[in-house]
Amino acid sequence: MSSDSPPVRRLADWDHDRLARLAEEHGTPLYVLDVDRVAANYRRFAAAFPDAHVMYAAKAHTGRAVLSGLLEAGADIECAAAGELQRAIDAGADPNTLQYTAVNPPGGDLDYAVDLADEHPGLTITGGAEDTFDRLEDRGYDGRVAIRINPGIGTGHHEKVATGKDAKFGIPYDEVPALADDLRDRFDLVGLHAHAGSGVLREDLDDHCRAIAKVAELAREVGDSDLEFVDFGGGFGVPYREETEPLDMQAVGERVREAVGDLSARIKLEPGRYVVADAELILTTVNTVKETPATTVVGVDASLATLIRPAMFDSYHPIRNVSAPDRDPHPVSIGGPCCTSADVFATDRPIARPERTDLLAIGNAGAYGYELANQFHSQPRPAEVAIEDGDERVVRRRETMADVVRVEDEAGE
């Protein structure tokens, strides 16, 4: 896929015959990942910010196929946990290029990061609490650090992702200058970091750019000429709803540069969702169609254990009948096999009328899809198939019931 690929990929753009064949070969529910689309999304984003250092925020999707594909495309990796650091290294990342953004880090995570930095001093550790820096010093660490700032402005698609105004994230804005002076005596202070929120679209850009401008102004107050970078995070969204237009990233790049203004330090950005969301979907099979006075209930074999975002964030995901996309649309409520009313993907949504055994596709599942998959109701997690350069391969096998109970069985050995 070329770097001038469309800025959004809708469900209708996927090859339905191929999807049907993959479902037949590998069963459902099934994650289908387009690695070429991941790389194309990254290149489009990087082209909009030619002077910035663009890293991929691994928490959106840590699959090895995604990480290795992005590394090949030239991306560096930003990690929010020790496990993500390890997965980035396993995918081929040079530890000296990694950035670890610690949020209330467990002791084991800090131990891992400090040990890693002992061997790879290019690693950068970002702290969002004075306590974190004290804990690093207690471990004998005096290497590269960045301060995570709380700009007091949150943006994004849901209050649970508006991190820029959540006290959990970052040092209060007014406390940063004094902390920076202190840290310069104890560590190699190389940057500032902030993240306003996630899922930012056109209506959120004004607030997002206000947060960026506020962080840039603080960087100048702290002394940006003495900093290597100022990291403005990611958060740029994708259109989950069919009627929503995608961001014009070239225009967004201009807005961001205007908000930053003159800055001696290099701009750093960390897209996550933007890179992977529309590069993956979930295939699921209809097993039940039930007419009720209130609605037509369509039961599928995917569930909130497969994709928890609708239950967690009330998120909208497009759904398409792959088996019969041209049937007349009919309002249906689509849900999975979990014994909770939260296990619903759509309510009274017009879909080409599903019938039992039809194959449905749930779109925009690449960001925080498999990452949040779980084993609720003792459901094994699904397989994941990657498409790259025309080839297909299983990159995560389907779990079995033996996988679900393995840690209990091993504990009893």
Side-chain angles (χ1 to χ4, degrees):
M1 189 174 294
S2 65
S3 59
D4 60 350
S5 61
V8 62
R9 188 180 199 184
R10 309 290 188 181
L11 277 178
D13 299 329
W14 291 76
D15 183 335
H16 285 31
D17 289 339
R18 182 179 222 173
L19 294 178
R21 177 175 55 76
L22 289 173
E24 180 68 24
E25 291 178 5
H26 301 284
T28 60
L30 179 71
Y31 272 87
V32 180
L33 168 71
D34 186 336
V35 178
D36 297 324
R37 178 66 185 177
V38 172
N41 287 341
Y42 167 77
R43 289 192 294 265
R44 186 186 317 106
F45 188 97
F49 298 94
D51 299 323
H53 180 191
V54 179
M55 309 186 81
Y56 166 65
K59 63 181 178 289
H61 192 308
T62 58
R64 189 174 301 174
V66 167
L67 296 179
S68 61
L70 285 168
L71 289 167
E72 289 179 12
D76 286 329
I77 310 295
E78 183 269 341
C79 304
E84 292 178 8
L85 290 170
Q86 183 64 60
R87 297 197 74 169
I89 293 168
D90 289 346
D94 176 356
N96 286 295
T97 66
L98 297 176
Q99 183 168 313
Y100 167 44
T101 305
V103 180
N104 299 336
D109 279 33
L110 282 188
D111 291 340
Y112 178 93
V114 169
D115 289 345
L116 187 63
D118 282 344
E119 295 184 23
H120 305 280
L123 176 75
T124 302
I125 300 178
T126 302
E130 290 189 48
D131 236 3
T132 301
F133 295 109
D134 291 342
R135 294 167 67 201
L136 286 170
E137 190 173 43
D138 289 345
R139 287 164 168 77
Y141 182 77
D142 60 2
R144 293 167 55 88
V145 298
I147 302 172
R148 182 165 184 168
I149 302 164
N150 186 314
I153 300 172
T155 57
H157 67 89
H158 193 281
E159 63 180 11
K160 291 182 180 179
V161 301
T163 55
K165 63 181 180 181
D166 188 333
K168 176 180 177 179
F169 300 96
I171 305 291
Y173 188 88
D174 294 337
E175 297 177 15
V176 171
L179 179 62
D181 287 341
D182 175 56
L183 295 186
R184 283 189 171 110
D185 294 330
R186 302 160 58 194
F187 304 95
D188 180 13
L189 178 62
V190 296
L192 301 180
H193 175 283
H195 180 68
S198 184
V200 173
L201 290 169
R202 295 183 184 189
E203 62 271 21
D204 307 303
L205 270 178
D206 286 345
D207 283 342
H208 195 70
C209 286
R210 280 199 305 115
I212 286 173
K214 193 173 180 182
V215 172
E217 181 58 35
L218 183 58
R220 286 185 281 271
E221 180 182 346
V222 167
D224 59 302
S225 61
D226 295 327
L227 298 173
E228 181 182 306
F229 66 82
V230 179
D231 188 337
F232 296 100
F236 299 101
V238 296
Y240 283 76
R241 294 181 180 271
E242 293 87 346
E243 67 273 15
T244 304
E245 290 297 315
L247 291 170
D248 178 343
M249 289 312 301
Q250 290 295 328
V252 170
E254 294 173 5
R255 288 283 306 275
V256 169
R257 285 188 288 274
E258 180 182 343
V260 171
D262 293 331
L263 202 64
S264 298
R266 191 178 188 188
I267 296 173
K268 186 178 284 191
L269 295 164
E270 305 168 1
R273 181 190 311 275
Y274 182 88
V275 175
V276 294
D278 73 354
E280 189 159 39
L281 54 72
I282 297 167
L283 297 177
T284 184
T285 301
V286 175
N287 54 48
T288 304
V289 178
K290 178 172 64 174
E291 302 289 347
T292 76
T295 188
T296 299
V297 176
V298 174
V300 296
D301 58 5
S303 72
L304 62 78
T306 316
L307 181 70
I308 202 172
R309 293 190 73 254
M312 181 179 289
F313 300 120
D314 195 27
S315 299
Y316 179 99
H317 283 262
I319 300 175
R320 185 173 175 84
N321 190 332
V322 175
S323 297
D326 296 325
R327 278 194 205 132
D328 289 337
H330 184 76
V332 296
S333 296
I334 301 174
C338 291
C339 189
T340 167
S341 56
D343 186 21
V344 175
F345 294 114
T347 301
D348 293 331
R349 190 186 302 179
I351 303 287
R353 189 182 183 99
E355 298 177 0
R356 196 190 323 149
T357 74
D358 278 354
L359 181 68
L360 306 185
I362 304 173
N364 281 355
Y368 310 101
Y370 202 104
E371 285 301 301
L372 294 173
N374 59 81
Q375 295 174 336
F376 183 48
H377 276 333
S378 293
Q379 296 181 83
R381 279 173 288 215
E384 183 178 37
V385 173
I387 302 169
E388 186 173 11
D389 296 329
D391 296 327
E392 301 159 4
R393 69 185 193 279
V394 176
V395 292
R396 286 193 252 222
R397 65 169 175 80
R398 187 176 305 280
E399 288 184 338
T400 65
M401 185 53 62
D403 294 315
V404 174
V405 300
R406 176 168 289 119
V407 291
E408 293 174 88
D409 290 343
E410 290 175 350
E413 291 178 354

